[in-house]
Amino acid sequence: MKMLTSVLALGLAGVTSISAARADGETIAVFTKNQTNPYFQTVRVGADVAAKSMNAKVLHYIPTKPDSIPEQLSQIEDVIVKKPSAIVFIPVDYKAMVPGAEKINAAGIPMVNVTDRSAGGKFSSFVGADDYSLGLETARYLLKSLGGKGKIVIIEGVKGSLTNVDRVRGFNDALKENAGAKLVASQPANYQRLAALQVMENLMQSNSEIDGVLAANDAMAVGAIEALDGANRKALVVGINGTKEAVDAIKSGKMLASGDYNGFLQGCLGTMIAIRDLRKQPIVPEIVLAPTVITKDNYKPYDVALETRACPSWEEGSKMGMKK
């Protein structure tokens, strides 16, 4: 197992944290959406581990205000001045950040798009997961556990975001497969834990019976569980992302399951592609990871500290795409 030795340090300007894995090699700027969703921490750690293994270093750009479009645009201005060797880019909004991506293109800095597919700009590759399949398979697991019936609520992420649209579409298609299941509410909580807690509290006030909760990410699933616990009520809850917090909740029986969004792998593979492209080594245009539902029966491989995980070899990683 490789140990992560880089240190994240927030800049005084509040827009940047720097991980200096090594003092030489290429510099890869990694853009993520926020510090509130544990998923993006898994992406950052994956990027750090990959960069270290390839003798490169990482410069992290994280908005202090979660998913802030103005802040990420400001960070793009900063990164263009710093001129890193390449960029691994997760747009905070897949449409609104297109002008920013185009500015990076104009500056001649190569980019790899990770997690949320940008609506514009030029990228050497895309690394992500199939959100629709994740939503479908995770919801199917919940509904199977409920015997195909019950009153269900959906807690959505950010309305209009690609991840939310596709995950919720998967949830709804799984519900259509089960005539005995009834959707009683579908409301957004913007992928935030506290917002999900408040949404779930409101939903419980207007619904005396809720059997299952489909949350579009793990942070919101945890918020829903906290609301249920606070009201001394029970329901089966699933999330998406496969974060360590979700794995711990599955292990303890608090959460039923989580669809693995493979943030660590996405960080690994996106950074590996960026470095390989700089070194004129073969890359692939796209890696879309297949869905896995983490449950009490298969959680053990995920029950390890992020910092002790290792990236796959390029030969292994490049073959992980589900669409070929």
Side-chain angles (χ1 to χ4, degrees):
M1 291 288 184
K2 296 178 175 67
M3 296 294 293
L4 176 67
T5 56
S6 60
V7 177
L8 298 179
L10 290 176
L12 288 177
V15 297
T16 303
S17 69
I18 297 173
S19 170
R22 293 183 185 245
D24 57 1
E26 301 92 340
T27 298
I28 310 299
V30 177
F31 281 69
T32 46
K33 292 186 180 183
N34 58 62
Q35 298 190 75
T36 55
N37 186 341
Y39 167 77
F40 294 109
Q41 176 61 8
T42 68
V43 175
R44 291 189 284 269
V45 174
D48 288 343
V49 172
K52 181 186 175 187
S53 71
M54 299 176 76
N55 195 27
K57 58 186 177 182
V58 172
L59 180 66
H60 284 291
Y61 282 83
I62 313 165
T64 54
K65 182 180 178 182
D67 299 24
S68 168
I69 293 170
E71 201 169 348
Q72 193 172 70
L73 285 170
S74 174
Q75 290 176 340
I76 285 173
E77 299 290 343
D78 180 71
V79 84
I80 289 173
V81 172
K82 286 188 168 64
K83 291 189 180 302
S85 309
I87 291 173
V88 172
F89 190 65
I90 301 178
V92 297
D93 183 292
Y94 77 105
K95 289 181 179 176
M97 293 312 301
V98 169
E102 291 173 342
K103 278 190 174 182
I104 294 170
N105 290 153
I109 304 171
M111 275 195 298
V112 175
N113 187 193
V114 171
T115 301
D116 286 18
R117 199 185 293 267
S118 175
K122 295 177 182 176
F123 299 87
S124 56
S125 183
F126 172 77
V127 179
D130 186 318
D131 286 292
Y132 171 76
S133 296
L134 275 172
L136 181 69
E137 296 302 329
T138 308
R140 280 175 170 169
Y141 187 82
L142 172 79
L143 292 163
K144 182 180 179 182
S145 300
L146 288 170
K149 59 185 180 182
K151 295 182 177 178
I152 311 297
V153 299
I154 293 176
I155 302 181
E156 302 187 27
V158 176
K159 283 280 191 183
S161 70
L162 276 182
T163 53
N164 184 65
V165 169
D166 287 345
R167 290 175 187 183
V168 172
R169 185 163 58 90
F171 288 164
N172 281 304
D173 281 356
L175 284 164
K176 291 174 186 173
E177 297 172 348
N178 294 268
K182 180 182 179 183
L183 179 65
V184 296
S186 185
Q187 294 186 11
N190 299 326
Y191 289 133
Q192 301 299 315
R193 178 173 178 164
L194 179 58
L197 186 152
Q198 295 166 339
V199 166
M200 191 67 198
E201 287 176 340
N202 292 335
L203 289 174
M204 286 190 295
Q205 288 179 4
S206 53
N207 295 277
S208 59
E209 182 183 347
I210 294 174
D211 302 298
V213 179
L214 293 162
N217 80 348
D218 288 337
M220 296 192 299
V222 171
I225 290 169
E226 290 171 340
L228 287 162
D229 286 347
N232 196 29
R233 286 176 61 168
K234 301 291 183 185
L236 296 183
V237 180
V238 299
I240 288 178
N241 280 349
T243 62
K244 183 64 168 62
E245 187 175 31
V247 173
D248 289 342
I250 291 167
K251 184 178 177 181
S252 69
K254 285 279 188 181
M255 187 185 295
L256 180 68
S258 174
D260 184 14
Y261 201 45
N262 275 311
F264 181 82
L265 269 181
Q266 291 192 36
C268 283
L269 296 172
T271 303
M272 290 167 77
I273 290 173
I275 297 170
R276 288 179 64 87
D277 195 29
L278 290 168
R279 296 177 183 177
K280 309 301 181 188
Q281 295 172 324
I283 61 173
V284 292
E286 178 176 291
I287 298 176
V288 178
L289 300 165
T292 299
V293 181
I294 304 170
T295 72
K296 61 181 174 55
D297 297 322
N298 67 357
Y299 74 84
K300 288 185 178 178
Y302 300 90
D303 190 24
V304 295
L306 271 177
E307 291 77 7
T308 63
R309 295 185 187 181
C311 292
S313 68
W314 172 248
E315 288 70 26
E316 294 170 333
S318 60
K319 295 176 182 175
M320 289 181 173
M322 63 179 292
K323 293 179 179 177
K324 296 296 178 189

